[in-house]
Every structure is written in structure tokens, then in C-alpha cells.
Amino acid sequence: MISVNDFRTGLTIEVDGGIWRVMDFQHVKPGKGAAFVRSKLRNLRTGAIQEKTFRAGEKVERAQIDNRRMQYLYANGDSHVFMDNESYEQIELPTAAIEYELKFLKENMEVNIMMYQTETLGVELPNTVELTVTETEPGIKGDTASGGSKPATVETGLVVQVPFFVNEGDKLIINTTDGSYVSRA
């Protein structure tokens, strides 16, 4: 058990039969009445985000999430196959469960798979990934002074807004939290 006063971003808890990750929290002490903790939680099974308020000092169950290092192998119809690097055990995750993460996954890429007891919850991506531009309009000389951007499609099919100087074949570093361009690799 853990007190809601000890909440921190990234903590996983068990509330109302669901497994939740604390995305944001705020301790509130109103002038009148008891203190409380307002939190923003993401359900690790469904991906739904919910705001929940707890009384100060309330206890919740902490969920023990294990991260297993696995390699993304290939797509198999409407599921995707991952292999454990140590035991060579393979697991399949449905496309619907990792729809957002697929925008950044390349074959043979290593990722963390979140496990709760024997249940697979999803894929935890690194903060940034390196992807190659497959399609973009050529930059016109003199366009860089305005600081504008143009759309570029990378090898996974993700469309990213990039500066004019980026060309096809360039390797880019992409932020996985919001899908934005960081820099050239």
C-alpha cells in the first residue's frame, strides 16, 4: 500500500480493478475543508485517461510492473511478434493494443514490454528513435531563413513536420511522446 501523498509521475497503482500510471498530480489545500490530491491517471490496459481525486492520506495498492527487454520481430496479420532477448520466448501483441507505438517501431528494434503478473500491458518506447525519411518535397534554396517547416514521411509511415533543409534519405531523431522532429542524426 502507498499513500496518495507519496504520488509521483510514472508510479503505477491499482484502483477500482484497473492498473493505472500516474501522469500528473497536484496536492490541493483549500482554505476551508480537508486537503486532497487531484491526479491524472492512464489505464495501462485500455489507454484511457481519467482524472481522479483522492483524500489526503488515502492509501492505494501499488501495482508491480515488470519491464522485460524484447526485440520487435515482425507483423503477423493483425498482431505483432516480440522476442525476449534472454529466453528467446516469443509473444504476440494485437495491433489495437500498440497502435500509437507502431508509428515508431522498426523491425529488430529493442523495446521494454510492460508485464503485470502474467498479463502483457503494452510497449514502452525509448524517449527518441532514429528513423529515415522516405518521402518529402525538396527544399527550395532560400526557404530556410523563414524558419518554416514541411511534412516528411518516415520509414514507419509517420508524417512529421521538419525544417526545409531535410531531404529524402536523411536520418532523423523523433520524439516518441508527441511524434515531433528533434534533430538530424
Side-chain angles (χ1 to χ4, degrees):
M1 297 292 271
I2 187 169
S3 169
V4 296
N5 296 337
D6 298 329
F7 271 12
R8 60 185 184 281
T9 305
L11 179 74
T12 49
I13 59 172
E14 216 173 325
V15 179
D16 302 330
I19 300 165
W20 303 84
R21 171 165 281 154
V22 177
M23 297 182 68
D24 193 26
F25 65 96
Q26 180 180 16
H27 293 280
V28 180
K29 294 181 184 174
K32 181 181 177 190
F36 58 91
V37 177
R38 188 176 292 136
S39 62
K40 190 175 185 181
L41 308 172
R42 168 176 273 150
N43 188 317
L44 293 180
R45 288 188 177 120
T46 64
I49 295 175
Q50 178 180 346
E51 295 207 5
K52 193 159 178 64
T53 304
F54 298 94
R55 291 184 310 276
E58 193 174 335
K59 302 269 188 198
V60 292
E61 191 70 40
R62 185 177 185 157
Q64 186 61 44
I65 303 294
D66 295 321
N67 284 326
R68 290 174 57 189
R69 195 89 177 132
M70 293 195 171
Q71 185 177 23
Y72 174 59
L73 295 180
Y74 57 89
N76 184 15
D78 62 346
S79 64
H80 297 269
V81 180
F82 294 84
M83 179 183 69
D84 190 315
N85 294 340
E86 294 170 13
S87 67
Y88 302 109
E89 169 193 351
Q90 292 185 4
I91 61 166
E92 288 191 25
L93 292 177
T95 300
I98 57 170
E99 213 165 332
Y100 176 77
E101 290 84 352
L102 286 174
K103 297 175 187 174
F104 306 100
L105 279 177
K106 295 190 300 187
E107 286 187 2
N108 302 322
M109 183 177 176
E110 289 197 2
V111 294
N112 286 325
I113 302 290
M114 295 181 292
M115 308 281 286
Y116 176 70
Q117 295 166 352
T118 58
E119 178 185 2
T120 304
L121 296 175
V123 176
E124 195 171 271
L125 295 167
N127 292 335
T128 58
V129 292
E130 187 177 301
L131 299 171
T132 306
V133 177
T134 56
E135 183 185 329
T136 187
E137 299 165 7
I140 300 163
K141 189 171 182 161
D143 273 349
T144 55
S146 64
S149 63
K150 62 182 180 178
T153 306
V154 294
E155 59 193 301
T156 59
L158 176 69
V159 177
V160 181
Q161 290 296 321
V162 298
F164 287 117
F165 59 79
V166 172
N167 300 311
E168 285 185 23
D170 286 357
K171 291 190 182 296
L172 306 179
I173 296 175
I174 307 294
N175 183 343
T176 58
T177 53
D178 59 3
S180 64
Y181 165 85
V182 176
S183 68
R184 281 200 281 194

